[in-house]
Amino acid sequence: MRVVMAEDNALLREGIVMLLTSAGHEVVAVATSGPEVLPALLTHRPDIAVLDVRMPPGFRDEGLRAAVAAREEIPGLPVLVLSQYVEESYATELLAGGASGVGYLLKDRVGRVDEFLDALDRVAAGGTALDPEVVTELLTRRRDSPVDSLTPREREVLELMAAGLDNTAIAKALTVTERSVSKHIGNVFLKLGLPPSDSGHRRVLAVLAYLNERRDTPQPKKPHRG
């Protein structure tokens, strides 16, 4: 798999490059500042881009902006975004262009090598990989919506669905039967007003599209955290 990597922290950058290389992937370009990202992506057109959100010179959202711009130039470009914190506005903006081939992970997830590589493969294949904490933020901040009518178990299932897990993986994570998972999924779709489907990725897109509707509601800006 050909990867373009963008990260300004030298230690983390080199660590991820070594991890990707040892897993058999080829890092075709490395960007260390925001202005370098888009040219690298357009030049190399990788199988996936792994990008930090905040990069020089402004340390605000340079990586994300480059990801959004690149997906406009290269439709369907798989992008796995890494962030130090749960930045809700960044997650929703990235998803605004469609959930296919999109990942948003917290940086500490990189240390869980198997999880990180699984997310990388899933996103590169056109799937979705959202950090559980990101999904939780999207769910808990959404008010006065059908999400509020979900039971605690249904919310757990929805979070795992949005993270990209299939029925078998959800059943294993929750220590329940797949039949029970299917029942919960049916209830989730019913309460959210979404058509039930067992087609895997399509159901994740439906859930993420529903969650992403909240981007149209202005959200208070967070104070800058360095």
Side-chain angles (χ1 to χ4, degrees):
M1 186 187 306
R2 300 172 65 255
V3 183
V4 165
M5 173 73 199
E7 169 61 57
D8 66 287
N9 183 297
L11 184 60
L12 180 59
R13 181 176 64 247
E14 293 304 315
I16 295 178
V17 169
M18 289 180 62
L19 174 61
L20 294 173
T21 302
S22 64
H25 304 305
E26 178 187 4
V27 179
V28 296
V30 174
T32 59
S33 68
E36 298 175 10
V37 179
L38 184 57
L41 293 173
L42 296 181
T43 298
H44 294 279
R45 295 180 176 259
D47 297 312
I48 187 170
V50 179
L51 311 175
D52 184 15
V53 169
R54 296 181 175 182
M55 299 188 69
F59 292 99
R60 297 183 65 83
D61 58 0
E62 289 82 358
L64 176 79
R65 295 297 176 197
V68 173
R71 282 172 67 87
E72 291 178 353
E73 296 287 338
I74 312 173
L77 172 69
V79 173
L80 178 57
V81 170
L82 304 178
S83 179
Q84 189 68 39
Y85 308 101
V86 178
E87 300 282 6
E88 180 189 1
S89 60
Y90 295 162
T92 54
E93 182 163 359
L94 185 63
L95 292 170
S100 178
V102 171
Y104 188 108
L105 299 181
L106 296 183
K107 287 187 177 180
D108 62 6
R109 195 72 56 182
V110 177
R112 305 173 189 179
V113 176
D114 290 341
E115 290 185 29
F116 173 70
L117 293 177
D118 177 68
L120 184 81
D121 290 339
R122 191 187 312 151
V123 172
T128 306
L130 293 185
D131 195 287
E133 290 189 35
V134 174
V135 179
T136 298
E137 286 284 323
L138 292 174
L139 290 175
T140 56
R141 294 183 186 184
R142 189 181 180 95
R143 301 300 181 188
D144 301 321
S145 80
V147 172
D148 297 329
S149 68
L150 300 181
T151 66
R153 177 62 85 187
E154 289 166 354
R155 290 174 69 91
E156 287 180 317
V157 169
L158 176 58
E159 291 175 15
L160 294 173
M161 286 172 59
L165 275 64
D166 60 18
N167 285 21
T168 301
I170 292 175
K172 182 178 180 180
L174 299 179
T175 318
V176 297
T177 65
E178 288 189 45
R179 182 175 181 180
S180 178
V181 170
S182 295
K183 181 179 179 180
H184 288 309
I185 290 174
N187 290 337
V188 168
F189 280 122
L190 181 63
K191 292 180 179 179
L192 298 188
L194 298 170
S197 171
D198 290 325
S199 60
H201 184 53
R202 184 169 61 171
R203 68 181 189 172
V204 178
L205 295 182
V207 173
L208 290 176
Y210 178 83
L211 294 175
N212 192 45
E213 288 176 6
R214 78 185 311 282
R215 74 181 187 277
D216 297 323
T217 301
Q219 299 295 316
K221 293 184 177 179
K222 289 186 177 182
H224 175 71
R225 289 177 288 185

